[in-house]
């Protein structure tokens, strides 16, 4: 069908338009008899073209180690991992989790897992035993790949993971030897586009983290948005600063960027303004995808610092994960002579859905417009579309290619995302008369700290497992640098309460609780602020009313308290 043949009925037009868009993406990727493998499309097909000797990955760590891999080398390295995993008995559909820092083996392994039809799960290396247990337990992972340094955290919980058959330590002598000897050739599984490829655990307001499952088809949208929104072209050097423990690191540090054959930089180190500018200059990075907290931290660094580096290669910059404040865009225009382009999406959406793509005029403070082929709207709680400038739920019309396939073992949770004809994102926003979307906030209690998504329930559970704590309520407290910080309101047992005699003893208790969460749950998900209170505001049915804690913290009216038990 040609574009001119498009039917005029709007709904039909929409279906046609989407099909048309994704069909063009489909043509660019290699599908064999309706089968496709995302890892093959990301790497191997380039190893069969002129890109064979093109650098796919520049890698550098904090201590100055540097490595680089061509598309062919990446293809071979991931084939080797696929072969090793097969020798361990890994079969199609098995879950293989990566508990690895951002080392090259993480990238080889992710691709190798997909190539043999297994499902890759990524775990942020700041996770501690509770976070690991929740994720590995629920997914019933058969294999965990890790390092000598991180392995003790898995050892601690191993007895509670009956499905876990192997722990593969990628820096152990035995693995290094088998990697060296493993065959470079691998039969790559032809997958149905709907077969599961990777999963990520993410947080909601209640309950444990949920396993968001994506299929091989997701690469379609990752591929097209890497072109349309990140504007990646063959001569680019691209740097995505995300960790593959989060969805951005999978979609745009592995699949979308490499499926376009783009040379990509990975830096395995902590944030440091001088180092970041040095990397941008040294690799002559042309396209940069990062997050607002990092941008704000760069803004806060010495203004003279950036002037020491030649950043003239930079031509396009994008941001994701949390609201991109107008000051950050203005600073970027002043500093780099170009703005950051905001992009909006979620673990569940699998790829960018709303964005300021390069051909658009940016309205500073807006997230932009839905990408071609995605229909977005603002709807009320019953799924009815609202008009311009009205606040409501940011919703998407289901069916975009990278939409999550399910929530692992929780089909009801999956269903709960949908109201009538809409996928409800959990974000509040509005759309202006020109079609631009504006982010207002979360509809639930999910916390975004330094761009990372944290569920208050996980932090509360960790606090309550401390012997001093009766109960805890956790909120995201607005923070000028990190977007939000985690703040915990804690009810202490009598004995501990009495032990507080002065400011010093109180601070010592608070520090102990923060550290406890850091050590048991995750290095990034601990409360930076703790406040002791006598009682938590709760509904009559016993649910903690976090919105009241938040309103009080911010000195705002507490709103409707009709369901509140006496407080
Ligand atoms: O609240 C929105 C916020 O991040 C949430 C999704 O988080 P996560 O699943 O960890 O994925 C982050 C990276 C894809 C959203 O529900 N968020 C994401 N992008 C933006 C944003 N908030 C404001 N502006 C954005 N551009």
């Amino acid at each position: 069908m040609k574009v001119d043949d498009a039917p005029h009925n709007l709904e039909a037009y929409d279906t046609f338009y989407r099909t048309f868009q994704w069909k063009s993406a489909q043509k660019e990727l290699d599908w064999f008899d309706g089968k496709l493998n995302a890892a093959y499309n990301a790497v191997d097909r380039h190893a069969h073209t002129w890109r064979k000797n093109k650098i796919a990955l520049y890698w550098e760590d904090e201590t100055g180690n540097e490595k680089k891999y061509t598309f062919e080398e990446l293809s071979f390295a991931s084939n080797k991992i696929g072969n090793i995993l097969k020798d361990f008995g890994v079969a199609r559909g098995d879950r293989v989790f990566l508990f690895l820092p951002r080392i090259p083996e993480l990238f080889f392994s992710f691709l190798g897992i997909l190539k043999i039809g297994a499902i890759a799960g990524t775990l942020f290396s700041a996770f501690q035993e509770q976070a690991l247990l929740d994720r590995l337990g629920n997914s019933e992972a058969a294999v965990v790949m890790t390092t000598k340094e991180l392995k003790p955290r898995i050892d601690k919980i191993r007895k509670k993971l009956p499905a876990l058959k192997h722990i593969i330590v990628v820096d152990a002598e035995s693995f290094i030897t088998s990697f060296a000897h493993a065959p470079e050739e691998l039969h790559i599984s032809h997958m149905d586009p709907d077969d599961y490829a990777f999963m990520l655990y993410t947080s909601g307001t209640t309950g444990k983290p949920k396993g968001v499952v994506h299929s091989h088809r997701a690469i379609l949208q990752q591929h097209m948005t890497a072109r349309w929104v990140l504007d990646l072209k063959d001569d680019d050097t691209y740097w995505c600063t995300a960790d593959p423990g989060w969805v951005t690191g999978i979609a745009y540090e592995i699949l979308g960027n490499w499926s376009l054959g783009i040379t990509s930089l990975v830096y395995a180190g902590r944030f440091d303004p001088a180092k970041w500018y040095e990397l941008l200059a040294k690799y002559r990075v042309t396209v940069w995808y990062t997050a607002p907290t990092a941008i704000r931290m760069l803004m806060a660094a010495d203004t003279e610092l950036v002037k020491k580096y030649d950043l003239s290669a930079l031509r396009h910059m994008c941001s994701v994960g949390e609201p991109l404040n107008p000051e950050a865009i203005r600073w970027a225009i002043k500093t780099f002579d170009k703005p950051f382009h905001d992009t909006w999406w979620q673990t569940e959406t699998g790829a960018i859905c709303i964005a300021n793509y390069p051909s658009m005029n940016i309205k500073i403070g807006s997230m932009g417009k839905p990408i071609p082929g995605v229909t977005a709207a603002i709807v009320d709680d019953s799924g009815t579309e609202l008009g311009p400038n009205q606040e409501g739920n940011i919703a998407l019309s289901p069916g975009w290619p990278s939409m999550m396939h399910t929530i692992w073992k929780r089909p009801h949770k999956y269903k709960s995302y949908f109201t009538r004809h809409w996928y409800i994102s959990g974000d509040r926003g509005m759309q202006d008369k020109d079609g631009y979307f504006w982010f207002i906030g979360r509809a639930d209690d999910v916390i975004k700290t330094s761009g990372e998504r944290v569920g208050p329930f996980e932090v509360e559970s960790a606090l309550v497992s401390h012997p001093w704590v009766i109960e805890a309520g956790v909120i995201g407290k607005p923070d000028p640098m990190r977007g939000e910080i985690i703040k915990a309101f804690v009810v202490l047992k009598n004995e501990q309460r009495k032990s507080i005699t002065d400011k010093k003893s109180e601070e010592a208790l608070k520090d102990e609780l923060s550290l406890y969460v850091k050590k048991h749950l995750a290095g990034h998900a601990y409360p930076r602020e703790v406040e002791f209170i006598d009682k938590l505001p709760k509904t009559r049915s016993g649910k903690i009313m976090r919105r009241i804690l938040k309103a009080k913290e911010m000195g705002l009216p507490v709103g409707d308290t009709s369901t509140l038990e006496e407080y």
Side-chain angles (χ1 to χ4, degrees):
M1 191 162 28
K2 296 203 306 281
V3 181
D4 292 342
D5 301 335
H8 292 292
N9 165 314
L10 251 192
E11 209 168 301
Y13 174 76
D14 186 51
T15 311
F16 159 76
Y17 181 61
R18 284 207 234 172
T19 317
F20 174 76
Q21 292 297 340
W22 302 129
K23 277 253 154 69
S24 70
Q26 203 165 317
K27 269 196 203 135
E28 292 189 14
L29 299 170
D30 278 339
W31 299 62
F32 304 100
D33 304 327
K35 303 280 179 190
L36 115 154
N37 187 307
Y40 174 86
N41 273 286
V43 170
D44 300 77
R45 70 194 180 96
H46 303 304
H48 302 135
T49 68
W50 66 267
R51 293 196 189 94
K52 167 178 164 159
N53 297 319
K54 183 180 175 181
I55 300 295
L57 171 63
Y58 282 117
W59 178 88
E60 188 169 328
D61 73 4
E62 260 176 355
T63 57
N65 290 316
E66 288 177 27
K67 290 180 181 164
K68 56 184 183 197
Y69 302 89
T70 62
F71 276 98
E72 185 180 63
E73 286 167 335
L74 204 52
S75 161
F76 287 158
S78 47
N79 282 350
K80 280 170 173 272
I81 301 273
N83 283 315
I84 293 173
L85 290 173
K86 275 184 160 177
D87 287 346
F88 273 100
V90 174
R92 256 170 116 103
D94 284 350
R95 274 77 63 211
V96 179
F97 270 67
L98 303 170
F99 184 38
L100 292 170
R102 241 179 290 178
I103 53 177
E105 287 77 3
L106 167 58
F107 298 85
F108 307 157
S109 304
F110 184 89
L111 294 162
I113 296 165
L114 267 61
K115 284 182 176 186
I116 61 167
I119 303 170
T122 54
L123 297 164
F124 190 39
S125 49
F127 284 152
Q128 299 289 346
E129 60 205 90
Q130 189 58 52
L132 293 167
L133 182 60
D134 290 342
R135 289 155 177 82
L136 295 171
N138 177 264
S139 63
E140 295 178 321
V143 177
V144 175
M145 299 180 73
T146 189
T147 58
K148 287 189 223 167
E149 192 189 338
L150 295 175
K151 181 172 176 280
R153 295 190 214 163
I154 306 283
D155 291 337
K156 272 195 204 156
I157 53 171
R158 178 145 199 192
K159 283 208 182 87
K160 297 181 191 162
L161 297 169
L164 182 60
K165 293 193 199 113
H166 304 288
I167 301 175
I168 299 177
V169 181
V170 302
D171 51 356
E173 235 14 86
S174 57
F175 179 84
I176 294 170
T177 312
S178 25
F179 186 79
H181 293 107
E184 284 177 344
E185 298 302 322
L186 171 75
H187 170 76
I188 296 174
S189 298
H190 282 197
M191 307 303 290
D192 186 278
D194 289 328
D195 283 339
Y196 299 163
F198 61 94
M199 63 193 290
L200 287 142
Y201 278 82
T202 194
S203 302
T205 297
T206 53
K208 292 286 188 186
K210 49 200 174 188
V212 173
V213 182
H214 285 286
S215 64
H216 285 261
R217 184 194 299 277
I219 197 169
L220 227 80
Q221 194 172 335
Q222 293 158 348
H223 178 83
M224 291 315 280
T225 47
R227 171 176 305 145
W228 291 336
V229 182
L230 303 180
D231 198 36
L232 293 176
K233 300 189 170 77
D234 240 320
D235 52 2
D236 277 317
T237 300
Y238 160 73
W239 184 24
C240 170
T241 61
D243 188 296
W246 312 114
V247 71
T248 311
I250 293 180
Y252 298 105
E253 206 172 2
I254 302 179
L255 297 174
N257 51 320
W258 278 334
S259 75
L260 287 169
I262 304 299
T263 299
S264 306
L265 167 66
V266 169
Y267 174 57
R270 272 167 301 197
F271 174 82
D272 172 68
K275 184 70 197 177
W276 276 36
Y277 288 139
E278 182 197 313
L279 291 166
L280 288 170
K282 176 173 162 186
Y283 291 92
R284 298 205 55 76
V285 170
T286 52
V287 180
W288 185 26
Y289 197 18
T290 190
T293 292
I295 300 168
R296 287 190 291 265
M297 286 180 172
L298 291 174
M299 284 167 75
D302 177 6
T303 45
E304 292 304 302
L305 185 65
V306 63
K307 296 184 186 151
K308 292 189 192 155
Y309 301 90
D310 173 9
L311 306 182
S312 56
L314 258 184
R315 66 167 187 83
H316 189 53
M317 314 193 299
C318 295
S319 160
V320 66
E322 35 169 344
L324 178 62
N325 38 323
E327 305 82 71
I329 301 186
R330 292 200 187 98
W331 170 80
I333 294 171
K334 220 168 65 199
T335 311
F336 306 107
D337 202 23
K338 48 190 72 67
F340 279 100
H341 293 68
D342 198 9
T343 67
W344 175 92
W345 57 295
Q346 307 178 295
T347 306
E348 294 88 337
T349 71
I352 295 169
C353 286
I354 298 177
N356 289 282
Y357 34 95
S359 59
M360 276 168 60
N361 289 330
I362 292 182
K363 286 197 190 184
I364 289 186
S366 156
M367 307 190 299
K369 295 186 185 186
I371 57 149
V374 164
T375 305
I378 301 295
V379 305
D380 67 14
D381 290 345
S382 65
T384 305
E385 268 185 72
L386 299 174
N389 300 329
Q390 280 186 273
E391 179 182 334
N393 302 297
I394 300 178
L396 302 174
S397 172
W400 67 96
S402 61
M403 184 172 102
M404 65 171 164
H405 260 247
T406 188
I407 299 289
W408 189 257
K409 288 208 237 156
R410 291 169 74 184
H412 293 295
K413 188 89 206 167
Y414 177 71
K415 277 203 185 121
S416 73
Y417 279 91
F418 302 91
T419 299
R420 282 168 69 187
H421 309 301
W422 295 101
Y423 160 85
I424 308 291
S425 67
D427 285 351
R428 307 275 298 169
M430 59 168 205
Q431 189 178 19
D432 67 20
K433 60 177 181 9
D434 302 324
Y436 284 74
F437 280 76
W438 299 76
F439 179 82
I440 292 176
R442 285 291 303 186
D444 55 19
D445 297 330
V446 164
I447 300 165
K448 267 281 167 158
T449 180
S450 301
E452 278 149 17
R453 185 162 156 184
V454 175
F457 179 77
E458 269 192 278
V459 185
E460 287 160 2
S461 307
L463 282 165
V464 172
S465 72
H466 192 287
W468 298 348
V469 176
I470 296 180
E471 54 185 1
V474 166
I475 61 159
K477 174 180 171 177
D479 179 80
M481 189 67 80
R482 296 188 157 80
E484 289 184 324
I485 55 161
I486 300 174
K487 169 149 191 178
F489 294 86
V490 173
V491 181
L492 284 176
K493 287 189 181 154
N494 247 340
E495 210 175 308
Q496 269 67 46
R497 208 161 25 160
K498 284 192 205 135
S499 76
I500 300 178
T501 49
D502 55 10
K503 204 89 210 115
K504 206 168 143 210
S505 54
E506 184 175 349
E507 286 311 311
L509 282 191
K510 290 179 179 174
D511 289 350
E512 155 68 23
L513 293 181
S514 282
L515 195 66
Y516 178 82
V517 178
K518 200 176 201 175
K519 281 194 176 156
H520 285 80
L521 181 64
H524 67 289
Y526 69 97
R528 283 176 190 265
E529 271 186 33
V530 176
E531 184 174 326
F532 297 129
I533 58 172
D534 294 337
K535 200 172 176 205
L536 290 174
K538 285 196 196 148
T539 60
R540 285 188 205 105
S541 57
K543 234 174 83 181
I544 298 168
M545 292 187 82
R546 300 188 189 96
R547 92 180 149 74
I548 292 190
L549 290 171
K550 191 154 179 171
K552 287 203 164 178
E553 178 65 34
M554 294 168 69
L556 297 170
V558 291
D560 180 13
T561 54
S562 57
T563 58
L564 191 68
E565 68 165 11
E566 205 186 325
Y567 173 57

